[in-house]
Amino acid sequence: MLAALLAVAPTGVAVLRPVYTRGEPADFACVHLNLRAQRLLGLPERPADTLLTWLPADVAPASFQFLRTTFNAGQPGHFDAQGQCRGRAYHLGLAAQRAGDLLVVSLNDPVRSAVEDALRQSQAREQAARAAAEATAQRLLLVTESLPSTTFIVDQSGQAIYISPQWYAYTGLTPHLPFKDAWSTLLHPDDCPAIIQERSAALAEGRGWHYEFRLRGADGRYRWFASQGMPEPLAAAQAAGRPRQWFGSTLDIEALKQAQQQLAQQEQQLTNILSALPAGVVTFEGEDLRYSFFNDTFQRRVQGRAMLGHTVAEQFPEADEQGFLAMLRQVLRTGEAHRAPETRTYLRDPHTGAQPESYLDLTYLPLRYGQQPPHAVLGFSVDVTERVQARRQAEAARTALLAAAEQTAALRETFYQLFEQTPACIALLRGAGHRFDYVNLAYQQLFPERQLRGLPLAEALPETIEQGFLALLDKVYQTGETHFGQEVKLTAVLAAGQPPRATYFDFTYQAMREGAAIVGVSIFAFDVTERVLARTQRETQQRQITQVFEQAPVAICVFRGAEYLLELVNPPMGEMLGLDPAQALGQPFFEALPELVDQGLRELLDAVRTTGVPYAVQERPVQLARHAAGTPGYFNFVYEPLYDERGQRTGIACMATEVSEQVRARQLVSAANEELRAANRQLTRTNADLDTFIYTASHDLKTPISNIEGLVLALREDLALPASQADLTGLLDLMQRDVERFKRTIAHLTDLTMLQQAHLPDGPVGEVALAPLVAAVCADLRPQLEAAAAAGGELLVEVAACPTVAGAEKNLRSVVLNLLSNALKYRHPARPPRVVLRSYTVAGYQVLEVQDNGLGFDLKQQAKVFGLFQRLHDHVTGSGVGLFVVQKILDNAGGRIEVDSQLGVGSTFRAYFPASIL
């Protein structure tokens, strides 16, 4: 079918292969020309000569250049060629697309006479008739080639009764060798099992067979054969009184197999060629116009929306709106071709609804089998949008050109009037000698009292030759390239006795064209002398400022841009930062000093750059590479935004001094002062405790001493009495009791003195696990706990929320012991004791809480509960020292103790330990 498509294609199709020289295509050899191309070019299907020899000389170079460029680029291309061929003018449109190592070219002659159209139609009918005749001849040839090459008759056991001579000629066997034994040995090993099984089954079941297999010939090579066998009617065999026989033939189909393989390859090659054609090729099957084939060009043109087996109306509803379905059905019904050059069409985008338009040369041809009515339509389409648009643009350009020509004269005068009023210097030079054709007033004032118009530049302004201006004008005139000059110095010679005057200009030399020819050069210049002098002055000032910065005793640097490029680094700043000023220039600040990236300086610079607000800081710590790890330096510095003459921020200046030694000296003094203040606080607490101690000693020791004194006097009196009247034992017991009381008081005071001296925690400081510490205290309080349990009481320990407390283990144990022993000691007699010890954290503290349901006390008593030797209940033994000790431990650790209590309900003590005392 693909070969037929090429044969009936309405456009000429040429398949070319490049001829290489030094790795580049130097010519093209023709692989195939379809009938249309043969007629257009007057050449056979495969011309012996190459493209450059048979193309007309007037179009061969341009056409070859187009084909070579399209082949190398691998993209579709279009080209229109015009010239003379065999005595007549022609206009040939070329469209090309590379296909592997071939180039497929579509040749379209849009200018055809009515006679040529009639001739083409006649030739198409002739070609169709020839194709039909060739198809008939091919079928006859296939029928002839399918005649059996070997005939045979076998019985039901598979033994040959008759084999034609072709069998022996092919296999090289002799007639006396049994066929049944030799046959299986000649089969290809891959085919043998299946063939024997099928043949044996057919003989056993009394049916025919048909199969293909490979058979080895006398030359040892295998060839493909087709075998078919049919049984004779059973009744005939029975009537003849013999076993049933099978009649069949074996055909050599090796050529058919090879032809099938070649046909598949050719089909694939033709498919590739059609796919690579720059023209869209498509076939529509049936009255409902279903897609049965389309090439890649067509699919790209319809944006990939075509689908085999689907109708045009399903995929492209807009095709019916534009009348294409009616055209296709007309071709099907009439069998006549339809051609529509430069047809406007559009595709509607299903997502956006956009309808970009394009133009196509359309050809619809009927496809039929022999003389039957058409069953399909073959469509060829060539995108000529660019050609149509180019023609329209050319027409519009011609119209515009006529209008422009009418306006040129009026505009010229208007321009001259404008030129006279503009402050720019304008001159128009004509010809290769650069004759002054026009100068405006500003240009003439550059050269007062000198004749310019009508004179060549070299004559009117000879000083411009040595300054290089004449050479620049020559180059622009010769090449047509515009020249731009910026701040170029012109030294003009003035009248006699006046010194030359130097002026600076920004100027443009631009070629003047009339049509395609260069006829002169235009000069457009601005006097920028003031700007140049101002910049020169600024640069001088900048150099002076730079010298001042470099000599300044203060560290100074200047940042530019968002990356803070170092534009200036004076020696003190380089020494401070550890940089070589010369090498640091032009580097981004944070690349030169990567250690500063995460120290907050970029954020400070960003704020100054974006807000324009200066930033000043005193004694900011900065860790530079030259500092020891963890020992930053301290700096006073200022970030000051810099502005240009227009008020735009252009950079940031930094002025810095290092004050590390001063800061560290002050830190030492501050640390010493802090130690002194801490010592004073401790001394104050010690003095207060000593006052308490003296008062307590004078109070608590006075009573036992007085008692002992009285007892001694009583003992002295009893010693004077007779033994029967003296109560010596009772007096001694009372004396012993007071002595014990005296010793306990002395011991408590000793403990308090030691506690006061131990301002720092006693023992190693760290995180103490509460659970084992509470367990150890409970072991010490075992008798009290057992007594509470006997009364139905309980102790609950909840320390999971804060399993450790920071402090010295000895002090923590004392706190837990005093709080738990008091909770058990002062229990309420009317109810079982219940004590809860829990721990938790609050802001900055680890809290140890002991809650009981004991006797409690009122608000008035809470004021003295932590006093030394203060006891609120006398029915149990106690010294009044425990809670005082707890408070002193927490005070020394920087914590505190709080209590909530209600008389007759119970008490809650909360000991606050700092979260970290390390």
Side-chain angles (χ1 to χ4, degrees):
M1 184 181 74
L2 296 176
L5 289 177
L6 285 176
V8 301
T11 61
V13 178
V15 181
L16 308 178
R17 176 177 285 108
V19 177
Y20 291 94
T21 300
R22 298 185 184 92
E24 285 293 327
D27 205 342
F28 287 91
C30 187
V31 177
H32 175 75
L33 293 177
N34 73 344
L35 290 175
R36 180 59 185 166
Q38 295 173 34
R39 295 189 184 100
L40 284 174
L41 301 173
L43 297 171
E45 179 182 356
R46 289 194 175 185
D49 296 331
T50 59
L51 180 135
L52 289 176
T53 60
W54 47 261
L55 271 181
D58 56 344
V59 298
S63 300
F64 171 72
Q65 180 63 32
F66 158 71
L67 295 176
R68 180 170 63 181
T69 301
T70 302
F71 181 82
N72 289 335
Q75 298 294 328
H78 301 274
F79 178 72
D80 286 340
Q82 300 182 20
Q84 295 286 331
C85 183
R86 295 174 177 81
R88 71 179 181 89
Y90 69 91
H91 176 196
L92 187 64
L94 302 179
Q97 168 69 57
R98 182 173 180 171
D101 60 347
L102 300 177
L103 184 66
V104 180
V105 183
S106 173
L107 303 96
N108 182 27
D109 184 2
V111 183
R112 295 191 295 266
S113 65
V115 175
E116 287 175 322
D117 287 342
L119 177 61
R120 184 194 57 75
Q121 294 175 3
S122 174
Q123 290 173 338
R125 288 192 295 271
E126 179 185 350
Q127 180 65 22
R130 185 183 302 169
E134 290 178 354
T136 302
Q138 182 67 20
R139 287 195 293 272
L140 291 175
L141 178 61
L142 291 175
V143 170
T144 302
E145 290 179 351
S146 67
L147 291 175
S149 61
T150 300
T151 57
F152 58 83
I153 303 173
V154 297
D155 59 18
Q156 194 162 4
S157 66
Q159 185 60 45
I161 299 174
Y162 168 77
I163 300 179
S164 63
Q166 291 87 340
W167 165 261
Y168 302 107
Y170 177 74
T171 62
L173 300 177
T174 57
H176 68 273
L177 186 65
F179 169 79
K180 184 177 180 180
D181 298 333
W183 178 71
S184 61
T185 63
L186 299 177
L187 288 174
H188 193 281
D190 293 342
D191 303 335
C192 184
I195 297 302
I196 292 178
Q197 181 179 358
E198 169 62 17
R199 187 168 180 267
S200 299
L203 292 173
E205 297 170 7
R207 58 176 174 81
W209 69 77
H210 181 82
Y211 43 73
E212 295 178 356
F213 58 92
R214 285 164 288 182
L215 191 68
R216 189 176 71 244
D219 58 0
R221 293 185 298 176
Y222 288 93
R223 293 177 65 85
W224 280 96
F225 285 83
S227 178
Q228 181 173 340
M230 295 296 296
E232 67 176 330
L234 182 60
Q238 293 174 345
R242 55 175 172 75
R244 198 173 188 182
Q245 297 178 350
W246 271 256
F247 301 87
S249 63
T250 300
L251 297 91
D252 185 338
I253 60 172
E254 179 69 21
L256 178 61
K257 284 285 186 180
Q258 294 180 359
Q260 289 175 344
Q261 183 177 1
Q262 293 174 357
L263 181 61
Q265 294 174 349
Q266 292 172 356
E267 288 280 345
Q268 184 61 46
Q269 184 177 13
L270 287 173
T271 300
N272 293 340
I273 292 174
L274 285 177
S275 297
L277 276 175
V281 181
V282 59
T283 56
F284 308 97
E285 195 75 31
E287 184 67 24
D288 55 356
L289 303 173
R290 294 183 179 274
Y291 289 109
S292 57
F293 172 82
F294 48 77
N295 68 350
D296 293 344
T297 302
F298 180 84
Q299 184 69 312
R300 286 194 300 270
R301 185 173 296 152
V302 299
Q303 303 171 0
R305 291 167 55 189
M307 297 178 64
L308 294 176
H310 288 252
T311 66
V312 179
E314 291 173 352
Q315 302 301 113
F316 303 97
E318 61 268 34
D320 196 14
E321 301 170 4
Q322 300 173 72
F324 293 114
L325 301 188
M327 295 180 194
L328 292 168
R329 293 192 176 102
Q330 179 71 14
V331 173
L332 273 177
R333 286 192 292 269
T334 64
E336 296 180 359
H338 177 82
R339 293 170 181 82
E342 296 185 359
T343 301
R344 177 183 175 273
T345 182
Y346 62 84
L347 285 177
R348 184 179 298 118
D349 191 310
H351 302 293
T352 64
Q355 299 182 163
E357 70 175 20
S358 59
Y359 292 86
L360 304 175
D361 282 352
L362 296 177
T363 301
Y364 293 148
L365 301 175
L367 295 179
R368 52 168 56 89
Y369 297 119
Q371 300 301 319
Q372 297 180 9
H375 64 88
V377 177
L378 170 65
F380 283 86
S381 59
V382 178
D383 191 337
V384 295
T385 304
E386 293 183 0
R387 186 179 73 196
V388 172
Q389 292 176 344
R391 186 179 67 249
R392 291 181 176 180
Q393 290 172 357
E395 293 171 353
R398 283 194 296 270
T399 302
L401 185 61
L402 291 175
E406 295 174 355
Q407 297 176 359
T408 299
L411 286 176
R412 183 185 298 274
E413 184 61 29
T414 302
F415 283 148
Y416 284 168
Q417 294 176 3
L418 291 175
F419 290 166
E420 290 298 324
Q421 299 173 11
T422 182
C425 302
I426 301 174
L428 303 179
L429 308 180
R430 285 275 179 175
H434 312 301
R435 175 178 51 81
F436 280 103
D437 187 52
Y438 170 80
V439 294
N440 72 345
L441 180 60
Y443 194 94
Q444 181 65 61
Q445 288 176 347
L446 296 176
F447 310 97
E449 302 179 3
R450 296 176 70 172
Q451 175 64 34
L452 299 180
R453 287 194 179 186
L455 297 178
L457 178 72
E459 180 181 345
L461 302 173
E463 64 268 29
T464 60
I465 300 175
E466 295 182 358
Q467 298 178 54
F469 294 101
L470 184 60
L472 293 176
L473 290 167
D474 288 340
K475 182 178 179 182
V476 173
Y477 186 84
Q478 294 166 4
T479 65
E481 297 178 357
T482 301
H483 176 81
F484 299 94
Q486 288 189 333
E487 299 183 357
V488 178
K489 180 179 179 181
L490 169 64
T491 302
V493 177
L494 303 180
Q498 298 184 21
R501 181 181 62 192
T503 312
Y504 294 87
F505 291 93
D506 286 348
F507 66 89
T508 302
Y509 289 166
Q510 187 171 4
M512 295 191 306
R513 288 179 169 84
E514 292 181 357
I518 297 175
V519 297
V521 178
S522 65
I523 300 175
F524 194 89
F526 282 100
D527 187 339
V528 294
T529 304
E530 292 184 0
R531 184 180 74 193
V532 172
L533 295 178
R535 189 186 68 252
T536 303
Q537 183 179 5
R538 286 197 305 272
E539 291 173 351
T540 302
Q541 293 173 349
Q542 182 67 28
R543 286 193 296 271
Q544 293 172 350
I545 293 173
T546 301
Q547 292 174 359
V548 171
F549 282 172
E550 291 179 350
Q551 297 171 8
V554 180
I556 301 173
C557 67
V558 175
F559 307 108
R560 296 290 184 187
E563 293 300 318
Y564 305 111
L565 302 180
L566 289 166
E567 184 179 82
L568 172 70
V569 180
N570 73 343
M573 179 63 79
E575 182 179 357
M576 178 184 294
L577 299 177
L579 296 175
D580 182 349
Q583 295 180 356
L585 294 180
Q587 289 193 53
F589 182 58
F590 293 101
E591 289 184 12
L593 296 169
E595 67 269 19
L596 301 182
V597 170
D598 298 324
Q599 299 189 44
L601 297 182
R602 178 183 285 276
E603 290 75 9
L604 296 178
L605 287 167
D606 288 343
V608 174
R609 182 173 59 85
T610 55
T611 66
V613 178
Y615 175 81
V617 66
Q618 299 289 326
E619 299 178 359
R620 180 181 177 93
V622 177
Q623 184 78 44
L624 293 171
R626 62 184 175 86
H627 294 141
T631 308
Y634 294 88
F635 299 86
N636 297 340
F637 59 87
V638 176
Y639 288 156
E640 184 74 30
L642 300 177
Y643 296 87
D644 59 15
E645 63 276 5
R646 296 173 297 173
Q648 300 294 322
R649 285 191 291 276
T650 59
I652 298 173
C654 172
M655 290 163 283
T657 56
E658 184 169 3
V659 292
S660 301
E661 293 182 0
Q662 298 92 315
V663 170
R664 292 193 179 98
R666 191 179 65 253
Q667 288 174 344
L668 292 176
V669 173
S670 177
N673 290 337
E674 181 60 31
E675 291 178 0
L676 181 59
R677 285 191 291 270
N680 288 336
R681 289 193 295 271
Q682 178 62 22
L683 182 59
T684 301
R685 287 195 297 268
T686 301
N687 289 336
D689 292 342
L690 286 176
D691 291 342
T692 303
F693 175 82
I694 293 170
Y695 171 77
T696 302
S698 64
H699 179 274
D700 285 18
L701 294 180
K702 181 177 180 181
T703 298
I705 291 174
S706 297
N707 290 340
I708 292 174
E709 181 182 9
L711 291 173
V712 170
L713 291 175
L715 180 61
R716 183 179 294 122
E717 293 175 355
D718 281 2
L719 287 176
L721 295 175
S724 60
Q725 297 180 2
D727 188 11
L728 297 177
T729 303
L731 291 173
L732 289 174
D733 289 341
L734 291 173
M735 289 178 66
Q736 182 64 39
R737 184 188 64 187
D738 286 335
V739 169
E740 292 296 330
R741 179 181 175 188
F742 183 74
K743 289 168 62 178
R744 284 197 304 273
T745 299
I746 295 298
H748 291 321
L749 292 175
T750 302
D751 290 341
L752 291 175
T753 302
M754 294 177 64
L755 179 64
Q756 184 61 48
Q757 293 174 349
H759 175 60
L760 292 176
D762 190 5
V765 177
E767 293 289 336
V768 180
L770 283 177
L773 184 142
V774 173
V777 172
C778 289
D780 294 342
L781 297 175
R782 182 176 179 182
Q784 294 91 321
L785 289 172
E786 289 178 350
E794 62 178 343
L795 169 64
L796 301 178
V797 180
E798 302 172 355
V799 295
C802 180
T804 62
V805 173
E809 183 175 1
K810 179 180 178 181
N811 291 344
L812 291 175
R813 189 180 188 281
S814 179
V815 172
V816 174
L817 179 62
N818 278 290
L819 294 179
L820 284 181
S821 64
N822 284 352
L824 295 171
K825 185 186 300 182
Y826 300 107
R827 70 189 190 186
H828 199 286
R831 54 177 174 264
R834 184 177 188 277
V835 180
V836 180
L837 185 149
R838 62 174 63 90
S839 63
Y840 52 89
T841 60
V842 295
Y845 291 95
Q846 297 165 321
V847 182
L848 184 65
E849 180 180 284
V850 177
Q851 181 181 14
D852 65 60
N853 63 346
L855 295 172
F857 45 86
D858 58 24
L859 186 60
K860 294 180 180 179
Q861 293 173 316
Q862 289 185 19
K864 58 181 181 178
V865 70
F866 296 108
L868 184 60
F869 300 116
Q870 297 293 325
R871 301 182 64 224
L872 304 183
H873 302 282
D874 297 329
H875 67 285
V876 294
T877 61
S879 62
V881 175
L883 290 178
F884 178 80
V885 171
V886 170
Q887 186 181 44
K888 297 307 294 182
I889 289 174
L890 289 168
D891 286 345
N892 290 343
R896 69 180 186 275
I897 186 166
E898 297 176 352
V899 61
D900 293 327
S901 183
Q902 186 175 354
L903 186 63
V905 177
S907 303
T908 301
F909 287 86
R910 286 180 289 274
Y912 288 81
F913 295 87
S916 176
I917 62 172
L918 300 179

